[in-house]
Amino acid sequence: MLPPCAELWITAVLLCVAAAQYSSDHCNWRGSGLSHESHRRDVEQVYLRCAQGSLEWLYPTGAIIVNLRPNTAPTAAHRAGLHVCIKPYSHSQGSRVYLERAGDLTLLLGAEEHARAPVRCFSLEDGALFVEAVPAMDISRRITALQYELVPRQVPGGHMYPYLNSGPVACKPCSDEEVLLAVCSSDFAGVGSFEGAVTGPSGYSSALVSLSRLYRQKSSTFARGAARGRRWRGRVNVPKRCGAPPEADVYLLTGSIHFGEAWLGCAPRYRDFLQLYRRAEGEGTNPCQVA
């Protein structure tokens, strides 16, 4: 028979383990399929209310439904324009991912597709994520791990992000209004030029850019060099069918950051942008200020 202190210690450990089976905050969720072991047909409901985050399901068994919502109360029009984009981590495996709506399932990510890390997007109004574990004798090394983002469909330069478009990307310049909005609302904005591009296997090119001025960046996409002049350098993805702008000119470069990668949005020639900016200032229609 165990002494009373040992019984208390074991009870405390078991309570901690039970509490740790599933943990989440507003943005991220981490759980274990071991809690489904005795009732594999159970479906766990997961609720996340954030613009971006992650999901990690250890030893997946059974299924989970992931309900994603913005962290604010959007208007009906704003909600209708939101898309959910998901991307598995390279080590993710052990499940199939579906879009679920009113009991109907549409496959988004097959069990063998995780390692190739594709991005899948769908309208927020289309339903929730249904993540179903693939039955296996040994689940000890299986982890399903996904990143997600809520992405507005109608943003300046949003037509250049290929995963939001069911058809070919529209390679069209931004309107004057979109350019003025992009300079103060994009994830990054700066002045610089292109220095070559490397074609990738997924329908886009990765272009090296050098910036003489960086107005804003959401994350450390562009790093400042130690050399004389200390220009900012980084890479920006451009749809392959559109191609990067000519290297001989200087541009206002704006765009968005998705899953740690920069995507080009509005990119007018800098001299054209300056004329537009000064005209908008004179008319009192400029939505923001840049240095």
Side-chain angles (χ1 to χ4, degrees):
M1 183 175 183
L2 293 172
C5 61
E7 290 182 353
L8 289 173
W9 183 84
I10 292 174
T11 301
V13 170
L14 290 175
L15 287 174
C16 288
V17 170
Q21 288 291 341
Y22 290 91
S23 63
S24 67
D25 52 35
H26 291 301
C27 302
N28 309 293
W29 180 88
R30 188 174 190 268
S32 170
L34 294 180
S35 64
H36 287 210
E37 197 66 31
S38 61
H39 41 88
R40 287 175 176 265
R41 304 186 75 83
D42 277 8
V43 177
E44 181 79 14
Q45 292 278 350
V46 175
Y47 297 89
L48 295 173
R49 186 177 291 276
C50 207
Q52 60 184 37
S54 63
L55 176 145
E56 186 178 32
W57 193 17
L58 308 174
Y59 324 123
T61 60
I64 58 175
I65 293 180
V66 185
N67 302 276
L68 299 170
R69 298 291 183 270
N71 54 5
T72 58
T75 63
H78 179 243
R79 182 182 174 85
L82 282 176
H83 278 63
V84 177
C85 294
I86 62 170
K87 182 180 181 180
Y89 288 98
S90 58
H91 64 275
S92 180
Q93 60 176 313
S95 66
R96 302 183 187 93
V97 182
Y98 298 86
L99 175 62
E100 187 273 334
R101 183 172 187 178
D104 293 329
L105 299 179
T106 303
L107 184 65
L108 293 176
L109 190 65
E112 306 302 323
E113 293 184 279
H114 290 239
R116 295 195 294 274
V119 174
R120 296 286 186 266
C121 298
F122 58 91
S123 172
L124 182 63
E125 293 193 324
D126 284 347
L129 290 176
F130 184 90
V131 187
E132 178 190 40
V134 176
M137 294 297 295
D138 180 12
I139 62 172
S140 61
R141 296 184 178 181
R142 293 193 167 194
I143 299 175
T144 293
L146 308 172
Q147 309 168 70
Y148 74 86
E149 293 183 350
L150 299 188
V151 182
R153 180 72 169 83
Q154 300 297 330
V155 293
H159 60 280
M160 296 285 279
Y161 187 52
Y163 302 111
L164 290 181
N165 301 278
S166 56
V169 174
C171 303
K172 62 183 181 67
C174 294
S175 66
D176 290 351
E177 292 76 12
E178 287 176 322
V179 170
L180 289 173
L181 186 58
V183 74
C184 59
S185 65
S186 297
D187 291 341
F188 66 88
V191 179
S193 56
F194 291 85
E195 297 185 347
V198 177
T199 301
S202 303
Y204 63 87
S205 300
S206 178
L208 178 64
V209 299
S210 175
L211 304 177
S212 60
R213 182 178 298 176
L214 183 63
Y215 296 129
R216 180 182 59 263
Q217 65 172 332
K218 182 179 178 180
S219 58
S220 301
T221 303
F222 303 97
R224 199 163 194 172
R228 185 178 180 181
R230 302 188 65 186
R231 295 175 68 91
W232 299 82
R233 294 181 182 274
R235 290 195 173 275
V236 176
N237 291 333
V238 184
K240 191 183 300 182
R241 71 186 304 268
C242 301
E247 299 175 21
D249 223 325
V250 178
Y251 301 88
L252 170 75
L253 301 177
T254 70
S256 54
I257 308 293
H258 299 293
F259 303 112
E261 295 183 330
W263 289 84
L264 187 66
C266 299
R269 287 183 172 84
Y270 186 54
R271 61 177 180 271
D272 297 334
F273 164 70
L274 285 179
Q275 292 177 358
L276 170 64
Y277 185 84
R278 290 164 183 161
R279 185 169 64 249
E281 275 193 321
E283 297 172 353
T285 59
N286 192 7
C288 68
Q289 299 293 321
V290 293

